[in-house]
Amino acid sequence: MDVSGKTKVCAVIGDPVEHSLSPIIHNAAFQHLNLDYVYVAFNVRAYQLKDAILGVRGLGIYGLNVTMPHKISIIKYLDELDETAKRIGSVNTVLNKDGRLIGYTTDGVGAFNALKYAGSDPLGKKVVVLGAGGASRSICFTLAERVRELIILNRTLERAVNLANNIREVLGGKVNVRAASLVDENLRKELKDADILINATSVGMKPNDAYTPVKRDFLHRNLTVFDIVYNPLETRLLREAKLIGAKTIDGLSMLIHQGAVSFEIWTGVKAPIDVMREAALRKIEETEKENT
Ligand code: ATR
């Protein structure tokens, strides 16, 4: 990597960020395209966020990715939000445009692009999303306008109902969104004629990787199953979906596609998706070797 006095610096800020794959995927992309950028990670505690943003301004850091726990709290320190970030109330990408910090959110469009890239365009489809947290919120807002029917199932019903109401308020009555509890009866009923299932809960993530949010019997082979959990890459949900012949999309695809949109915001250049994925896979393999 050739770092010079002109190199533009991008970074992810969050807590924790030690194991973030973002530096790996972005540096691989910058190098592949010979772009004079470098990407680093800064561990920023919640109480340090204000100082960190002053630092971004003072140092002229060019681009940021923002992860837990700052996606909402960063908004008050920015100069401008793009339309989608404003609607969703969450920021995962910042562009420093001549000293003005502009916030974007690429999580929802990342999920949408991951589906399209895998050949499962959600346009006009029935989509079931599990979870009503931050990740689900971005995905649901983006999909709501594009799908035929969106069902949000969550363990805490109130959160799902609030999210669905919020989507209707912001996007208007024309979107077809329903909310219900994440229980077997609803899963069975809703998945029967669904085209796409997205797990946006943390169920199945290590160390709880023996769990799945959906019983195998409720899956069918015409379903595309997308799990945003990427640790492990093949969750129990995806493994069982594969076994019955369903199409599967893993959490790394989500990470890469949301990263790709950030990359394009900073550089104006189309992101090399496959290069980014290969780099992440190599890193995951390396880490697994180290841990065994
Ligand atoms: P994120 O920003 O990653 O979405 P979050 O806001 O903490 O994180 O949301 C986590 C999601 O996983 C929520 O939908 C949560 O359900 P609740 O709203 O009921 O808490 C869901 N979740 C976490 N653990 C779960 C479990 N064991 N069973 C079912 N859902 C679970």
Side-chain angles (χ1 to χ4, degrees):
M1 192 185 303
D2 250 346
V3 176
S4 76
K6 289 185 296 189
T7 304
K8 289 188 170 126
V9 179
C10 294
V12 55
I13 60 167
D15 183 26
V17 287
E18 204 185 328
H19 299 293
S20 170
L21 288 170
S22 293
I24 307 293
I25 64 177
H26 285 290
N27 285 322
F30 293 145
Q31 279 166 40
H32 180 76
L33 296 175
N34 250 322
L35 297 173
D36 195 11
Y37 288 69
V38 66
Y39 190 110
V40 291
F42 294 122
N43 199 98
V44 175
R45 295 275 172 84
Y47 76 91
Q48 296 168 317
L49 182 63
K50 189 177 174 189
D51 288 347
I53 299 306
L54 285 173
V56 168
R57 292 181 190 279
L59 298 171
I61 289 176
Y62 191 73
L64 287 182
N65 275 139
V66 183
T67 183
M68 292 276 290
H70 309 308
K71 287 188 177 185
I72 297 169
S73 46
I74 193 169
I75 291 175
K76 56 180 171 293
Y77 302 119
L78 302 177
D79 301 310
E80 208 179 300
L81 290 186
D82 97 317
E83 210 42 54
T84 313
K86 207 181 290 173
R87 263 195 212 159
I88 297 176
S90 169
V91 162
N92 81 332
T93 303
V94 176
L95 171 69
N96 185 347
K97 196 174 176 193
D98 305 320
R100 280 184 69 73
L101 301 187
I102 308 170
Y104 300 83
T105 179
T106 70
D107 287 328
V109 70
F112 180 72
N113 289 349
L115 283 162
K116 279 206 309 198
Y117 193 79
S120 295
D121 192 332
L123 200 74
K125 297 288 165 54
K126 175 176 178 181
V127 180
V128 176
V129 175
L130 313 182
S136 165
R137 186 178 168 81
S138 299
I139 294 171
C140 289
F141 258 93
T142 306
L143 293 186
E145 290 183 299
R146 298 163 161 101
V147 304
R148 182 178 84 242
E149 206 179 340
L150 179 67
I151 322 294
I152 306 169
L153 303 180
N154 196 48
R155 177 178 61 180
T156 312
L157 176 61
E158 197 192 351
R159 285 185 92 188
V161 170
N162 287 344
L163 176 55
N165 286 341
N166 197 211
I167 291 173
R168 269 184 235 111
E169 272 163 33
V170 175
L171 298 182
K174 58 186 185 306
V175 296
N176 185 2
V177 186
R178 283 187 285 125
S181 302
L182 179 52
V183 292
D184 281 355
E185 190 194 336
N186 290 335
L187 282 167
R188 183 198 304 273
K189 190 175 75 189
E190 298 296 352
L191 287 176
K192 218 179 274 171
D193 61 345
D195 303 293
I196 296 171
L197 165 68
I198 304 176
N199 175 39
T201 74
S202 47
V203 178
M205 195 185 289
K206 270 182 192 164
N208 300 315
D209 47 338
Y211 293 92
T212 170
V214 183
K215 286 205 176 96
R216 180 201 296 234
D217 297 353
F218 302 158
L219 304 173
H220 55 82
R221 63 189 308 263
N222 295 326
L223 199 61
T224 293
V225 182
F226 181 8
D227 200 335
I228 70 159
V229 169
Y230 69 86
N231 180 26
L233 215 47
E234 189 180 74
T235 57
R236 178 169 164 195
L237 173 63
L238 293 188
R239 197 163 57 242
E240 294 182 348
K242 256 181 214 165
L243 280 175
I244 59 161
K247 183 186 286 183
T248 60
I249 306 173
D250 62 30
L252 187 55
S253 303
M254 166 82 187
L255 186 81
I256 302 290
H257 282 274
Q258 62 80 26
V261 181
S262 304
F263 182 93
E264 288 162 14
I265 289 171
W266 300 323
T267 64
V269 174
K270 198 160 168 39
I273 300 286
D274 295 337
V275 170
M276 293 161 100
R277 186 174 172 94
E278 277 309 308
L281 284 174
R282 266 198 310 276
K283 179 68 187 177
I284 291 169
E285 214 170 89
E286 245 173 65
T287 312
E288 271 168 10
K289 260 189 212 144
E290 278 165 22
N291 294 338
T292 49

